[in-house]
């Protein structure tokens, strides 16, 4: 009996050591595989694992870079900036063994992340589906939707010579490729109904006490952790109910789906998220069994969290110029959880107007942009199908702010408001060719005096300005434009790009 036990122990020991040796074989991160797109114009990190102190050489595009793996087996080299090229080439990674990655091109790489409107399939948008046959030079890496309680070293997925599944990501890639005629690589990492908290690194708890509370609650919630672990370990996969349960948790999407992507060289990240954080105007609600998934920050605070989140991601990528393009939430006719039934054109209702204002705070940071969608959306459907213009506008923003092209990428933006008798004259930037898309008078303007009793404004165009008034207001003071859940708007510039929503008063919204 003792002899058999010893043999068994020895066998297990040998298997264990074989597994360790195998795990230490030369291997790049999963991001580096056949069909990948490398970012042009910047230093390109390439990394992976190998046996400790193994000499590693990476060869690509007439470059040869060598390093040694560390004591933990990790290694990284950095290729000098590459020129964009559609010509497929091989990357050779060698150490004690050799790995050849084929069909590698160089172009624009972008990460596309967020919740359901980023996940929304191109196949469900007829206008985008019709473009699929003419799509060229677009490749995608679809990040597997999963979670982890710890920050992962690698990600599940692979590069493929097909457009991304996401409608917004595909539209963006399609129009950017048509404009630049270089390869476009999209890393798509989104998951429906996820909050910004789901994509936040744990260490952001040092900056935001509410997030610290949320993370401590998750750490102490053994039933939730056991439930998620059971789903992850299930050989049959998990049900839709469990899928929803996991993706509505804080931090664990970041751990599994974003952390392993850094520092893959890219131009930036497109972020279409916010719907989940519109349930409350301010703060984090008391959590009960019925509303456990509301454990997220509200609209008022979202903008400040978003700015810190951008800075934290840039730190992860070691790239202070990494561009973040935010998709403004489009028109929608519902309010908050406490006040769901609203007038979708009211300038004072607790609507998505306040979230759009919060999103626009990101422009306080350099190397950011916001794609205006105020003319899009559906009053009753939180998942509108008009995704093609979103992709077009994101592509224009990338051309202007990342590729430094001389293009008009934004609609009119408030410059200043001046008082003239009983009217307000509104001046804009980006207003060349100011007009209305339907030829009617400008709509969506509201006006008030010090009483803050808002009235619909009569508006007219005067060159690149709009003059508004209301015969019941003799001393107008403030204006709100397109500041409603689903406003009726028609103001555009000569490039047919819509004017951005704004308000000039300083009221802070509160729940009734």
């Amino acid at each position: 009996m003792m002899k058999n036990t010893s043999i068994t122990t020895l066998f297990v020991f040998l298997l264990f050591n074989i597994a360790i040796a195998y795990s230490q074989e030369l291997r790049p991160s999963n991001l580096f595989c056949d069909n990948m797109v490398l970012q042009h114009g910047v230093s390109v990190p390439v990394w992976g694992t190998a046996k400790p102190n193994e000499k590693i050489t990476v060869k690509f595009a007439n470059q040869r870079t060598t390093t040694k793996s560390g004591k933990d087996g990790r290694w990284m080299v950095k290729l000098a900036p590459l020129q964009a090229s559609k010509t497929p080439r091989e990357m050779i990674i060698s150490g004690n063994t050799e790995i050849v990655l084929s069909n590698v091109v160089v172009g624009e790489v972008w990460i596309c992340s967020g919740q359901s409107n980023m996940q929304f399939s191109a196949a469900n948008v007829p206008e985008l589906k019709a473009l699929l046959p003419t799509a060229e030079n677009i490749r995608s890496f679809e990040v597997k939707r999963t979670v982890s309680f710890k920050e992962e070293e690698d990600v599940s997925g692979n590069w493929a010579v097909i457009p991304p599944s996401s409608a917004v990501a595909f539209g963006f890639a399609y129009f950017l490729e048509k404009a630049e005629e270089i390869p476009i690589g999209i890393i798509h990492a989104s998951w429906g109904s996820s909050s910004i908290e789901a994509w936040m690194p744990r260490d952001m708890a040092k900056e935001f006490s509410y997030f610290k509370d949320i993370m401590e609650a998750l750490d102490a919630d053994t039933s939730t952790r056991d439930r998620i672990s059971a789903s992850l370990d299930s050989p049959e996969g998990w049900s839709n109910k469990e899928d929803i349960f996991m993706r509505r948790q804080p931090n664990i999407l970041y751990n599994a789906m974003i952390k392993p992507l850094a520092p893959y060289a890219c131009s930036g990240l497109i972020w279409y998220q916010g719907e989940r954080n519109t349930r409350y105007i301010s703060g984090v609600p008391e959590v009960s069994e019925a509303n456990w998934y509301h454990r997220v920050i509200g609209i008022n605070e979202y903008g400040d969290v978003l700015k810190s989140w951008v800075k934290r991601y840039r730190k992860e990528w070691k790239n202070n110029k990494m561009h973040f393009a935010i998709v403004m939430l489009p028109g929608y006719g519902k309010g908050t959880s406490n006040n769901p039934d609203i007038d979708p054109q009211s300038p004072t209702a607790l609507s998505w107007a306040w979230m759009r204002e919060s999103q626009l705070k990101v422009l306080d940071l350099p190397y950011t942009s916001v794609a205006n969608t105020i003319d899009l959306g559906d009053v009753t459907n939180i998942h509108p199908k008009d995704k093609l213009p979103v992709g077009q506008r994101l592509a224009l923003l990338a051309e202007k702010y990342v590729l430094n092209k001389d293009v008009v990428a934004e609609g009119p933006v408030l410059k200043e408001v001046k008082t003239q008798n009983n009217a307000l004259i509104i001046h804009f930037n980006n207003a060349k060719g100011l007009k209305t898309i339907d030829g009617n008078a400008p709509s969506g303007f509201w006006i008030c005096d010090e009483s803050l009793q808002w009235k619909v404004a009569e508006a007219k165009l005067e060159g690149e300005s709009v003059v508004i008034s209301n015969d019941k207001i003799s001393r107008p003071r403030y204006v709100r434009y397109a500041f409603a859940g689903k406003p009726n708007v028609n103001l555009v510039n000569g490039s047919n790009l819509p004017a951005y929503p704004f308000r000039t008063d300083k009221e802070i919204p509160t729940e009734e």
Side-chain angles (χ1 to χ4, degrees):
M1 185 73 175
M2 285 290 292
K3 183 177 181 180
N4 288 340
T5 302
S6 298
I7 292 172
T8 301
T9 302
L10 178 62
F11 181 68
V12 171
F13 176 79
L14 288 171
L15 284 178
F16 178 74
N17 281 276
I18 290 170
I20 290 178
Y22 181 78
S23 69
Q24 289 181 316
E25 287 185 359
L26 175 63
R27 190 178 72 81
S29 162
N30 286 341
L31 287 162
F32 301 94
C33 59
D34 295 344
N35 309 314
M36 66 181 168
V37 183
L38 299 177
Q39 175 65 35
H40 70 110
V42 299
S43 176
V44 176
V46 181
W47 69 91
T49 55
K51 291 180 180 178
N53 300 313
E54 185 174 341
K55 182 181 178 181
I56 310 297
T57 299
V58 176
K59 292 185 284 187
F60 181 74
N62 298 319
Q63 294 190 45
R64 177 190 177 97
T65 308
T66 301
T67 189
K68 269 192 174 184
S69 58
K71 293 181 180 179
D72 58 0
R74 297 177 185 175
W75 57 266
M76 177 183 286
V77 302
K78 291 186 178 180
L79 299 175
L82 303 162
Q83 289 188 339
S85 174
K86 301 177 186 177
T87 303
R89 287 175 285 189
E90 290 182 341
M91 176 181 285
I92 300 174
I93 304 173
S94 57
N96 296 337
T97 57
E98 183 176 275
I99 297 171
V100 179
L101 307 179
S102 62
N103 196 23
V104 179
V105 296
V106 181
E108 275 289 296
V109 179
W110 286 77
I111 300 166
C112 292
S113 189
Q115 58 179 110
S116 53
N117 275 306
M118 179 59 84
Q119 186 178 343
F120 197 92
S121 173
N124 292 327
V125 181
E127 297 86 352
L128 285 170
K129 187 177 180 181
L131 297 179
L132 286 169
T134 60
E136 298 178 298
N137 303 313
I138 299 174
R139 303 182 179 196
S140 59
F141 187 105
E142 298 281 345
V143 176
K144 179 184 177 181
R145 294 184 181 98
T146 187
V147 300
S148 176
F149 291 115
K150 64 181 180 67
E151 294 185 350
E152 295 295 336
E153 294 293 330
D154 215 343
V155 69
S156 296
N158 60 273
W159 282 99
V161 189
I162 56 173
S165 60
S166 158
V168 168
F170 167 59
F172 165 74
Y174 181 88
F175 290 107
L176 190 59
E177 193 281 330
K178 293 304 178 189
E180 298 301 316
E181 296 186 344
I182 61 175
I184 308 297
I186 300 295
I187 301 174
H188 176 212
S190 68
W191 207 343
S193 75
S194 55
S195 63
I196 192 172
E197 287 79 8
W199 304 95
M200 286 167 60
R202 175 180 280 269
D203 59 22
M204 287 187 71
K206 298 175 184 176
E207 184 175 2
F208 297 102
S209 59
Y210 91 93
F211 190 56
K212 180 176 182 288
D213 293 342
I214 289 171
M215 292 311 302
E216 288 178 350
L218 179 62
D219 291 343
D221 190 348
T222 54
S223 62
T224 288
R225 297 176 69 88
D226 290 346
R227 179 177 170 181
I228 292 171
S229 295
S231 294
L232 293 173
D233 294 339
S234 173
E236 292 84 22
W238 52 78
S239 66
N240 185 59
K241 181 179 179 181
E242 297 306 308
D243 188 279
I244 294 171
F245 186 75
M246 287 193 294
R247 70 197 194 214
R248 290 184 173 180
Q249 302 296 336
N251 170 248
I252 58 178
L253 275 67
Y254 168 83
N255 288 346
M257 297 176 66
I258 294 293
K259 176 62 171 68
L261 302 181
Y264 196 86
C266 61
S267 277
L269 186 150
I270 294 171
W271 181 243
Y272 194 159
Q273 192 280 329
E275 302 94 330
R276 174 85 192 287
N277 292 83
T278 61
R279 298 176 185 277
Y280 295 91
I281 283 293
S282 187
V284 179
E286 290 294 324
V287 176
S288 66
E289 186 175 350
N291 78 336
W292 61 268
Y293 51 85
H294 287 193
R295 199 164 41 187
V296 300
I297 203 64
I299 290 171
N300 285 348
E301 299 86 2
Y302 182 89
D304 291 330
V305 175
L306 178 64
K307 288 194 293 184
S308 290
W309 177 86
V310 167
K311 289 188 284 187
R312 178 60 182 81
Y313 271 45
R314 287 176 175 166
K315 181 180 178 182
E316 197 65 37
W317 260 265
K318 298 179 173 63
N319 181 4
N320 289 330
K321 295 183 179 180
M322 183 176 177
H323 192 91
F324 280 75
I326 310 302
V327 179
M328 179 187 291
L329 294 192
Y332 183 57
K334 293 292 184 181
T336 62
S337 291
N338 293 335
N339 299 278
D341 298 320
I342 61 170
D343 176 355
Q345 294 189 24
S346 167
T348 59
L350 298 182
S351 68
W352 280 13
W354 302 97
M355 175 55 95
R356 297 181 199 115
E357 181 179 72
S358 219
Q359 289 179 304
L360 285 165
K361 287 183 178 181
V362 79
L363 297 177
D364 294 343
L365 301 178
Y367 310 109
T368 59
S369 58
V370 175
N372 187 5
T373 62
I374 196 61
D375 57 329
L376 306 176
D378 188 305
V379 71
T380 60
N381 190 350
I382 202 169
H383 300 121
K385 290 189 175 182
D386 48 3
K387 297 288 194 288
L388 185 144
V390 181
Q392 285 178 313
R393 294 169 192 178
L394 286 166
L396 286 171
L397 291 170
E399 285 183 72
K400 179 177 180 178
Y401 290 110
V402 176
L403 299 174
N404 300 313
K405 301 295 182 180
D406 185 16
V407 297
V408 178
E410 293 139 314
V413 176
L414 174 67
K415 181 180 180 181
E416 62 179 344
V417 178
K418 293 184 177 181
T419 302
Q420 186 178 79
N421 299 324
N422 64 341
L424 297 177
I425 303 174
I426 304 164
H427 300 276
F428 297 91
N429 293 317
N430 306 325
K432 186 176 180 179
L434 191 68
K435 62 181 181 178
T436 58
I437 202 75
D438 55 10
N440 296 325
S443 59
F445 286 90
W446 292 71
I447 192 170
C448 74
D449 55 22
E450 290 287 355
S451 70
L452 293 181
Q453 299 300 306
W454 294 94
K455 306 290 184 184
V456 176
E458 293 182 12
K460 62 180 180 179
L461 292 171
E462 282 193 3
E464 295 182 356
S465 302
V466 173
V467 180
I468 66 170
S469 62
N470 182 288
D471 58 12
K472 294 183 179 179
I473 297 177
S474 59
R475 297 188 180 206
R477 180 68 185 273
Y478 301 115
V479 55
R480 288 185 178 183
Y481 170 69
F483 207 85
K486 183 70 172 72
N488 176 26
V489 294
N490 60 0
L491 188 65
V492 297
N493 59 14
S495 297
N496 292 328
L497 293 171
Y500 282 72
F502 66 86
R503 67 186 180 110
T504 60
D505 63 287
K506 301 299 181 184
E507 180 186 357
I508 299 175
T510 56
E511 293 279 3
E512 295 176 0

